[in-house]
Amino acid sequence: MVLRAFLPGRSVPVAAMAIGAALAVYGLASAPAPPSPGIAEALIGLFLIAGAGLARPLWLGSFYLLRSPDLRPSEAGACLALLLAVWPGLLSGLARGWPYAEMARDLLPLAFLFLPVLVRYRAGAETEAALDAIAWALAGVGLAYALRWWVDLNASLRTIGAAALIEKPPFLLKSAALPFASVWLFARGLEKVGSNVRIGGIVVGSALMVASFSCLGALAGAVHRAGLILSCGSILIILVRYFDGSAKGRLGATVVLSMLGLLWGEAVSVSADLAMEKTRAVGVNNRLGELMAVIRQAAADPLSFLFGYGWGGMVRSPAAGDIVISYTHNFATYMLLKTGAVGLLGMGAYVATILARLPHAWRARPDLVLALAPSLLIGLLLHTTYKYLCFGIVLTLLLLASEPALHRKG
């Protein structure tokens, strides 16, 4: 079932509109990791259920999906992850007597990782329309978080580089939507400026670039090194691909350089100095120490190594000030802690089936892949964003972008 989109000739599946509504609430009234569920989170849950449907999740959870004649690797991988990671981790947590609240805090975000195989199926024949609608919605989340952070600090882009700006709960800038929005809005703005030399196109394109710089500025202001560096890397690749010496390339270059000069000025170089100073002070935030702590704990006995400490399990992490926490800053170490080597194998195989679609997605939508890349790398390797809704949406967009229909069209 589809509804007409705002653009003529386009239609958006109801599932994608439901996901977009969930993201709207997420960006305007919630947080990447809300401390306690409320009305906003309940609405998000309802919209996500509407987007994923009821039958497909039941088929997945009961493994009936394996009987599907058109079973795809990502769907088989999702079933494998449930079999080797989710259910054993639940049984292990129950056997160890972890508090139900801690187990729920681990299990509920895990559902976001399975959104790709559910939304892809519900998108149906309107994959491209669903892809663009969800991408714009996720970019809206990133922009909303950036603006909420700026307003909360009563700051502006001109304050960037004066000092490292604070970030306090609910830690809006940790969302995977920030790097995505930075690159996606920039790419769309550049495209608008270059493809439409009329004043209206230049105004809209410039506005999108200002929105992009607002997200980048928030990352720079709070000295989020990975998000800032990787986003700027993607933007640089986009510029290299776009500036081909043509008239539209020169126009785009003029607008971009003007935006940088007007909005940041000297703050660009000062922000780089702050990032270097933070690196000298804290290095890589003791991620290696956290890795070794998880390995030592997992290797304490054969059962823990194979099946982990279960959902609700904790570790004393050097990366968090040597306190006991229920998460790690790396997806692999998190799965090893909670589900052991067996669960890590199952969940890793599932994620790998999605990442394996990267070449197909690149051929169809290189702009989208460049926007997704920073969030993918950060979520899998450097931070806890793998537990957030926005990271599940990032994986969903990657899978949608690799659909055969888009590849044939591209």
Side-chain angles (χ1 to χ4, degrees):
M1 182 178 182
V2 297
L3 296 178
R4 302 307 298 177
F6 295 110
L7 296 178
R10 297 293 299 275
S11 56
V12 177
V14 171
M17 297 190 73
I19 297 295
L23 290 174
V25 178
Y26 185 55
L28 296 174
S30 187
S36 58
I39 295 177
E41 288 68 39
L43 281 174
I44 292 171
L46 289 174
F47 283 129
L48 289 178
I49 291 172
L54 293 176
R56 204 72 174 179
L58 291 175
W59 287 13
L60 175 62
S62 64
F63 304 108
Y64 181 76
L65 191 61
L66 293 172
R67 296 173 58 88
S68 175
D70 59 346
L71 183 72
R72 299 193 177 192
S74 57
E75 295 168 335
C79 291
L80 183 67
L82 282 171
L83 179 65
L84 298 182
V86 178
W87 290 115
L90 175 61
L91 295 175
S92 180
L94 290 171
R96 293 176 183 272
W98 301 135
Y100 293 148
E102 290 297 330
M103 294 179 66
R105 287 182 66 86
D106 284 345
L107 281 169
L108 288 177
L110 198 68
F112 302 146
L113 294 178
F114 295 97
L115 280 175
V117 297
L118 303 175
V119 176
R120 182 211 63 78
Y121 176 80
R122 297 263 291 169
E126 300 294 336
T127 301
E128 187 173 16
L131 177 70
D132 287 332
I134 295 174
W136 278 108
L138 183 61
V141 172
L143 180 59
Y145 282 164
L147 294 178
R148 286 169 58 184
W149 182 78
W150 284 117
V151 170
D152 187 48
L153 258 62
N154 193 26
S156 68
L157 291 175
R158 289 292 185 182
T159 62
I160 296 173
L165 302 177
I166 62 172
E167 186 182 5
K168 57 186 179 180
F171 301 111
L172 300 174
L173 302 188
K174 295 187 184 300
S175 169
L178 261 295
F180 176 81
S182 300
V183 182
W184 175 261
L185 293 172
F186 180 88
R188 297 282 71 78
L190 189 63
E191 179 184 59
K192 195 70 175 176
V193 169
S195 63
N196 191 344
V197 296
R198 291 177 297 183
I199 187 65
I202 295 175
V203 169
V204 172
S206 299
L208 289 172
M209 288 187 186
V210 170
S212 167
F213 294 151
S214 297
C215 298
L216 281 173
L219 293 172
V223 198
H224 276 266
R225 292 168 294 170
L228 180 63
I229 293 171
L230 292 173
S231 297
C232 288
S234 285
I235 287 175
L236 180 61
I237 294 173
I238 289 173
L239 290 173
V240 170
R241 288 171 55 87
Y242 191 84
F243 293 159
D244 54 2
S246 63
K248 71 174 185 179
R250 290 192 293 271
L251 178 60
T254 301
V255 173
V256 170
L257 294 175
S258 299
M259 290 289 113
L260 283 173
L262 290 172
L263 293 174
W264 279 9
E266 295 183 1
V268 174
S269 61
V270 180
S271 296
D273 291 339
L274 284 175
M276 294 177 63
E277 181 61 33
K278 183 176 180 179
T279 301
R280 285 192 292 267
V282 302
V284 293
N285 291 327
N286 215 350
R287 296 294 196 264
L288 180 59
E290 182 178 78
L291 168 64
M292 298 310 299
V294 171
I295 291 176
R296 283 194 300 269
Q297 183 166 317
D301 61 84
L303 197 61
S304 298
F305 177 75
L306 287 175
F307 301 106
Y309 281 75
W311 304 117
M314 298 189 178
V315 66
R316 186 177 296 277
S317 172
D322 208 34
I323 63 173
V324 177
I325 55 175
S326 63
Y327 59 88
T328 71
H329 295 82
N330 177 280
F331 179 72
T333 57
Y334 178 78
M335 295 308 303
L336 180 62
L337 171 68
K338 305 289 183 173
T339 66
V342 173
L344 175 59
L345 176 65
M347 189 61 76
Y350 164 56
V351 174
T353 61
I354 298 178
L355 296 180
R357 303 298 299 172
L358 267 169
H360 302 274
W362 175 263
R363 285 193 288 271
R365 294 293 297 269
D367 58 332
L368 183 68
V369 171
L370 287 170
L372 294 173
S375 297
L376 281 170
L377 290 171
I378 293 170
L380 292 174
L381 302 176
L382 301 173
H383 216 279
T384 59
T385 52
Y386 56 81
K387 295 187 68 175
Y388 304 161
L389 169 60
C390 43
F391 187 76
I393 298 299
V394 165
L395 292 178
T396 301
L397 289 171
L398 174 58
L399 196 59
L400 286 175
S402 70
E403 281 294 280
L406 264 70
H407 184 59
R408 287 194 296 270
K409 182 176 179 179

